[in-house]
Amino acid sequence: MGQYVEGMAELRLCRNGGGPYEAERIWEGSKARHGAFLLLDPALQKQTVNVKKMEKLKKKMEWKVTEMMEGDMEAENEKKQKLMERRKHLEQMAAKDLAPLQQCLGPGCVNPTRPGSKYCSDNCGMKLAAKRIYEILPQRIQQWHNSPCIAEEHGKKMLESILREQQDTHTRLKEMECQFHELEAIILRGKQQAVYSDEENIKVITNSVHQIFCVSCGKSISMHVALRHMEHCFAKYECKSSFGSLYPTCIEGATRLFCDVYDPKSQRYCKRLQVLCPEHTKDPKVPDDEVCGCPLVHNVFELTGNFCRLPKRLCIHHYCWEKLRRAEVDLERVRALYKLEELSEREHKVRTAMRNRAGLLALMLHQTVQHDPLTTDLRSRVHN
């Protein structure tokens, strides 16, 4: 069928271009070719068919490549056209913006202003600002000195009171440092006392039948172990809470204040008092022959000059007295340091307000109108 169609196509071509003899000659040639094709080996026939298919595929691929190249060329032409249109639009907008521009406000400048600005350059703006300052600022300074400011007077009074409080706090801190060294001397002198060896009196003191309740856990405990139990119970509950900071303590001249042990889990430094920290400070083991050494008092506050000579392990009235006295002194020192920090912050705020009140920007932006030239003090007075 395919051979017949091919022969008919050749006949049509001959009819269009040549005579009947030409058509007959072509028809005979085609019959000869097709007859030769039919006489070929089947394997050779398949090879010829495959060659034809490959030629068709090559033609299709060449056609697709040409189409893609033409599409890329069209896209590039469109991009170039869009860029040209955008450039023309920007040039038109710039031409429109340049039309209403005004003259630069800089002193002695005749150039047009920049878009969205009053000056042609930053230099012109700085020159105009400097000229305004030189012309306006001397009058404002003179006016500031002629008319007193009530806020300035209040600020000076606050600074004076803050400086007095700082001096008092520094004096108090020095006294607490002296108390710190005195307490250490008293503790050392108490440890040098001889131990009281009367066993009968010691048994009378320690054998107590009175019961009290613990303030932390509420259990009923005996009097001779009450202070010991309460101290351990408080330390157990205190370990459950944490007091930490990201930075260690750095205070000049201060010794033994905060614990400052670094915790890798929370990545913080412990901020309990070093003496009272139950988590990182353990009480030393008390030997049998160590004396209590607590200074005895009369009427609660009057020192008698004597020391408790009972063995430290058996004394039930002065349990951990050294730790508590040291903690009391350290707490007063910490309060004094916090007071100094608060006063320094207040001083900084007051000085900043006073500096900004008479600064360049404030004097240039604000002005007090003095209608009566004879009245220099413009503050309001309360008439009785």
Side-chain angles (χ1 to χ4, degrees), residues 208 210-217 219-234 315-317 319:
S208 179
H210 296 286
Q211 299 284 326
I212 62 172
F213 294 96
C214 176
V215 295
S216 298
C217 63
K219 292 182 180 180
S220 177
I221 51 178
S222 178
M223 281 289 295
H224 72 279
V225 294
L227 291 176
R228 190 184 305 272
H229 172 83
M230 289 182 183
E231 184 67 23
H232 288 294
C233 198
F234 173 76
C315 183
I316 63 174
H317 299 290
Y319 179 73

Side-chain angles (χ1 to χ4, degrees), residues 81-123:
Q81 189 174 0
K82 287 182 180 179
L83 289 173
M84 293 293 292
E85 290 178 356
R86 186 177 180 183
R87 191 176 297 171
K88 288 180 181 179
H89 178 70
L90 292 175
E91 289 177 357
Q92 292 176 0
M93 293 296 294
K96 290 181 180 179
D97 293 338
L98 288 172
L101 289 181
Q102 299 179 357
Q103 185 177 345
C104 177
L105 297 180
C109 183
V110 294
N111 297 325
T113 60
R114 292 181 297 183
S117 176
K118 297 180 181 179
Y119 312 99
C120 65
S121 62
D122 295 338
N123 192 16

Side-chain angles (χ1 to χ4, degrees), residues 323-365:
K323 181 170 71 173
L324 297 177
R325 292 283 183 89
R326 286 170 174 165
E328 184 180 358
V329 174
D330 291 349
L331 186 60
E332 290 295 327
R333 292 162 64 202
V334 170
R335 287 175 179 171
L337 291 171
Y338 281 155
K339 184 68 174 177
L340 284 175
E341 185 178 0
E342 180 185 355
L343 291 172
S344 64
E345 290 180 359
R346 287 172 54 190
E347 181 185 4
H348 176 70
K349 289 181 180 179
V350 173
R351 290 189 182 278
T352 303
M354 293 176 66
R355 186 167 56 250
N356 293 336
R357 192 177 296 118
L360 173 63
L361 187 61
L363 290 176
M364 292 294 293
L365 294 178

Side-chain angles (χ1 to χ4, degrees), residues 5-20 22-27 33:
V5 171
E6 188 176 355
M8 293 300 293
E10 291 178 353
L11 284 174
R12 288 193 189 94
L13 291 171
C14 293
R15 287 174 184 175
N16 293 331
E22 186 70 21
E24 185 177 357
R25 186 178 60 80
I26 293 172
W27 172 250
R33 287 197 303 273

Side-chain angles (χ1 to χ4, degrees), residues 226-265:
L227 291 176
R228 190 184 305 272
H229 172 83
M230 289 182 183
E231 184 67 23
H232 288 294
C233 198
F234 173 76
K236 182 176 66 176
Y237 286 104
E238 185 71 11
C239 288
K240 296 180 180 179
S241 59
S242 61
F243 303 90
S245 175
L246 294 174
Y247 306 100
T249 305
C250 184
I251 302 174
E252 295 182 0
T255 55
R256 199 198 66 200
L257 276 180
F258 297 104
C259 180
D260 277 335
V261 175
Y262 182 73
D263 187 7
K265 292 183 179 179

